[in-house]
Amino acid sequence: MPLVNTAEMFKKAYEGKYAIGAFNVNNMEIIQGIVAAANEEKSPLILQVSAGARKYANPIYLRKLVEAAIEDTNLPIALHLDHGESFEICKQCIDDGFSSVMFDGSALPFEENIRITRQVVEYAHAKGVSVEAELGKLAGVEDDVQVKAEDATYTDPDQAVEFVERTGVDSLAIAIGTSHGAYKFKGEPKLDFPRLEKISNLLPGYPLVLHGASSVLEEYVAMCNAFGGNIPGAKGVPEDMLAQASKLGVCKINVDTDLRLAMTAAIRKCLAENPNEFDPRKYLGPGRDAIKQVVQHKIKNVFNCSNRI
Ligand code: G3H
Ligand code: 13P
Ligand code: ZN
């Protein structure tokens, strides 16, 4: 099976009121851990590559690894550009064989965001590639860029409708209170569900996307801290809120931070318990297992995406 775009998976997810996990990938062990989990759960998958990942790994290595994963499992997998910052980057990824791209114009004025999104959509659709855009601005850290909570803006429901109509974009990332990274909420976690419901009602049948959706699982934060880490006060999106969102039109849920925490926790533990170990396979292996465990848990217990292929 070749790489797939997101059209079919989002249609089924919307109708079935579940979400597809979109996981950030940076190396072979991360890809293998995620794919092993999806394979056991018989789940479709979005593997996404950020600007940071492109710089770290070179996209061709990641694409070949994802192709190997498809050959190995025959799972429907979309290879997606995460937070593409320009038309040129989106075009380059489309030309390089990605099956889905995000143009992130969330920091641009509304009209400029529409103009470039429209340009990406025209180029992508001619090649069967799906496009995600973003309206509203999330707080948090993304590729070394820090957006302060006071600079974040929630998505305006009427603007969302106009944006989708004028761009023809396939899915829309919205800001309703999530943020990137491990520190998402100062007080109690809270998402603007009335806003999500309003957007969803105004765009019936339309797939929405949640970025910054890691739950920052306590188990892995605690494990990092038990073995030399110091990650105080980290707080993520509660799992029940993600499950609720997936019933309200959210078809794609982005996860990166939880993978980082799980892998790092397992590696820290392994090296702390075996201080003389210097074979990378001996600690990357447990890191890969931890990724598999966290992804399997999300697919099965949170996104309700098991047995969907
Ligand atoms: O949304 C951002 C993702 O967590 C990717 O982060 O650019 O550091 O790989 P990164
Ligand atoms: P987290 O930092 O919550 O994992 O979000 C990842 C993300 O949105 C990638 O685009
Ligand atoms: Zn994101």
Side-chain angles (χ1 to χ4, degrees):
M1 180 188 282
L3 285 168
V4 296
N5 67 24
T6 56
E8 178 80 4
M9 45 175 106
F10 284 168
K11 186 170 182 291
K12 288 187 185 162
Y14 189 94
E15 283 162 7
K17 294 187 187 299
Y18 62 90
I20 314 286
F23 302 99
N24 284 73
V25 297
N26 293 278
N27 68 12
M28 183 184 77
E29 283 77 10
I30 295 174
I31 292 173
Q32 287 179 333
I34 299 165
V35 170
N39 198 31
E40 266 180 37
E41 291 308 314
K42 299 187 173 49
S43 164
L45 204 50
I46 298 170
L47 297 177
Q48 53 190 13
V49 175
S50 67
R54 290 201 314 279
K55 208 155 53 177
Y56 176 76
N58 183 344
I60 187 151
Y61 287 82
L62 297 174
R63 177 162 63 81
K64 293 290 177 190
L65 285 166
V66 172
E67 283 170 8
I70 294 173
E71 202 173 315
D72 188 32
T73 61
N74 214 27
L75 283 176
I77 300 180
L79 178 59
H80 175 76
L81 166 67
D82 193 25
H83 294 286
E85 62 269 38
S86 63
F87 169 77
E88 287 70 27
I89 296 290
C90 292
K91 178 180 181 297
Q92 193 182 320
C93 287
I94 294 165
D95 293 346
D96 283 348
F98 281 51
S99 58
S100 177
V101 293
M102 173 191 193
F103 170 66
D104 182 355
S106 58
L108 298 173
F110 185 62
E111 287 298 330
E112 189 65 355
N113 191 359
I114 287 188
R115 188 182 67 76
I116 303 176
T117 301
R118 176 80 222 146
Q119 195 185 3
V120 174
V121 166
E122 274 166 18
Y123 190 80
H125 282 186
K127 296 178 187 271
V129 170
S130 29
V131 182
E132 172 186 330
E134 181 166 331
L135 192 62
K137 207 192 293 171
L138 269 67
V141 187
E142 180 189 301
D143 249 339
D144 304 330
V145 179
Q146 169 94 41
V147 181
K148 293 201 194 96
E150 57 271 28
D151 294 330
T153 10
Y154 285 8
T155 308
D156 178 89
D158 295 321
Q159 274 197 341
V161 176
E162 183 183 344
F163 189 91
V164 167
E165 277 172 1
R166 288 177 58 194
T167 58
V169 75
D170 302 291
S171 61
L172 185 69
I174 54 166
I176 56 164
T178 62
S179 62
H180 291 103
Y183 305 95
K184 299 191 190 295
F185 301 100
K186 287 224 172 74
E188 278 311 297
K190 193 172 178 303
L191 297 189
D192 191 342
F193 277 102
R195 185 179 299 265
L196 169 58
E197 223 168 320
K198 193 158 182 208
I199 297 169
S200 189
N201 287 338
L202 289 171
L203 289 167
Y206 190 81
L208 301 172
V209 178
L210 267 195
H211 281 248
S214 277
S215 294
V216 189
L217 298 165
E218 270 171 32
E219 175 191 350
Y220 294 109
V221 175
M223 207 197 287
C224 282
N225 290 346
F227 295 100
N230 180 20
I231 312 174
K235 211 179 275 180
V237 185
E239 294 180 338
D240 59 335
M241 290 191 189
L242 296 174
Q244 196 184 340
S246 70
K247 295 185 175 64
L248 294 168
V250 170
C251 294
K252 174 175 180 272
I253 295 186
N254 282 17
V255 177
D256 188 358
T257 299
D258 275 331
L259 306 185
R260 297 177 180 198
L261 285 167
M263 186 168 211
T264 304
I267 292 174
R268 275 191 180 279
K269 179 170 187 292
C270 182
L271 290 177
E273 289 172 351
N274 305 280
N276 296 333
E277 185 56 70
F278 56 84
D279 179 344
R281 295 170 297 186
K282 293 285 174 18
Y283 53 86
L284 291 177
R288 176 173 62 190
D289 293 344
I291 296 243
K292 180 184 170 198
Q293 208 170 16
V294 70
V295 170
Q296 193 155 7
H297 164 68
K298 282 176 187 290
I299 288 175
K300 191 172 166 177
N301 305 323
V302 186
F303 303 161
N304 191 18
C305 193
S306 301
N307 301 308
R308 303 291 188 178
I309 52 172

